[in-house]
Amino acid sequence: RGANVPSSARASKASAALGAGHAAVAEPDNQKARETQDRVIDECRAQIAAQTEEMEEMRAALDGLERERDYYFKKLRQVEILCETLQAQMDCEEARQERAPTATKLIQDIQGILYAGEDEAPQAGVDVAAS
């Protein structure tokens, strides 16, 4: 039977058989590669989720810090306005004689600003324009 088949046909059959065996060997390699790739993708997704959560926490912390900064800046600005007002009063000769601010009054006014809540007006009768 083998004598009737040309040698090129026999070579093709042998090559096809060898190729089929090679494909069977290559399939597990492809499966391993896909599993490795899937594992890497899953790890990347988990890392992205963790970093997204961390970024949201950092945004919340940043928002809190910005609110706190604004709160203390507002208080500092109120003290600055108080000082400018007192300086203007002291510069005026009439005011110096009539209503000279005392150290006690100045301390009370500054403490009124410092201890006022965020939405409260300054205490101790401080007449400071909001900025």
Side-chain angles (χ1 to χ4, degrees):
R1 227 174 137 169
N4 292 340
V5 178
S7 64
S8 63
R10 274 184 283 175
S12 294
K13 283 183 181 181
S15 175
L18 183 60
H22 181 68
V25 171
E27 184 63 32
D29 288 341
N30 287 339
Q31 182 67 26
K32 286 180 184 178
R34 272 188 243 128
E35 289 172 359
T36 301
Q37 186 178 19
D38 289 344
R39 185 173 30 83
V40 169
I41 289 171
D42 289 342
E43 289 172 1
C44 289
R45 285 182 179 148
Q47 186 177 12
I48 288 170
Q51 289 176 341
T52 300
E53 182 179 337
E54 182 180 359
M55 189 170 61
E56 289 171 2
E57 290 171 1
M58 288 180 167
R59 277 191 187 136
L62 178 62
D63 289 343
L65 290 171
E66 286 176 345
R67 279 192 305 275
E68 187 174 354
R69 176 205 60 200
D70 293 345
Y71 174 79
Y72 286 109
F73 179 79
K74 183 178 177 181
K75 293 217 175 267
L76 181 60
R77 180 67 181 130
Q78 289 174 339
V79 170
E80 180 183 33
I81 291 170
L82 174 65
C83 291
E84 289 172 355
T85 303
L86 292 174
Q87 183 65 47
Q89 288 176 356
M90 291 174 67
D91 289 345
C92 178
E93 191 65 37
E94 293 174 12
R96 202 176 315 147
Q97 291 174 0
E98 291 177 16
R99 303 178 297 194
T102 65
T104 304
K105 175 71 171 135
L106 179 60
I107 290 170
Q108 288 173 347
D109 290 347
I110 291 173
Q111 286 178 336
I113 291 170
L114 295 176
Y115 298 127
E118 191 169 349
D119 295 330
E120 297 175 21
Q123 299 171 359
V126 178
D127 187 21
V128 180
S131 58

